[in-house]
Amino acid sequence: MRVILSIMMFLQFAIWGSWVIVYYPFLVDKGFAPAQATSITANIYLGAMISTLFAGYIADRFINSERLMAMCHFLGAGLLLAMSQITNPDQYALLFVITFCYSLV
């Protein structure tokens, strides 16, 4: 179980490292204003900081950490898929919210 969880954690951060770096140029290329692309990218890091406050508490009190991680990964996959479908600058607010929700999980 330890090896499987270690591989999962490695892949989690490898995925973030592979797309977060190119996300800002992608948004600007699709027509988002630089300020919008910056706020969406910063939103990712803000949500990641906030989520650590609650994830540990939930894992310690209510549910096994393995099950919580699995739920977060499945929910995150769905939100990441939704993020990939939004390429229109008119949907900035929706992308902002989905990006924040993704970074929370």
Side-chain angles (χ1 to χ4, degrees), residues 89-103:
D90 295 333
Q91 296 176 317
Y92 164 73
L94 179 62
L95 183 61
F96 189 85
V97 170
I98 291 175
T99 304
F100 185 70
C101 291
Y102 172 73
S103 63

Side-chain angles (χ1 to χ4, degrees), residues 27-84:
L27 290 174
V28 172
D29 186 47
K30 291 298 179 184
F32 286 86
Q36 290 176 328
T38 301
S39 66
I40 290 171
T41 306
N43 194 22
I44 294 169
Y45 302 113
L46 179 66
M49 287 188 292
I50 292 171
S51 70
T52 58
L53 299 172
F54 301 106
Y57 177 76
I58 292 170
D60 288 342
R61 299 282 180 177
F62 302 112
I63 191 169
N64 282 344
S65 58
E66 295 90 1
R67 290 186 181 172
L68 179 66
M69 297 258 314
M71 290 186 325
C72 287
H73 281 282
F74 283 119
L75 185 59
L79 290 169
L80 193 58
L81 179 64
M83 283 172 53
S84 71

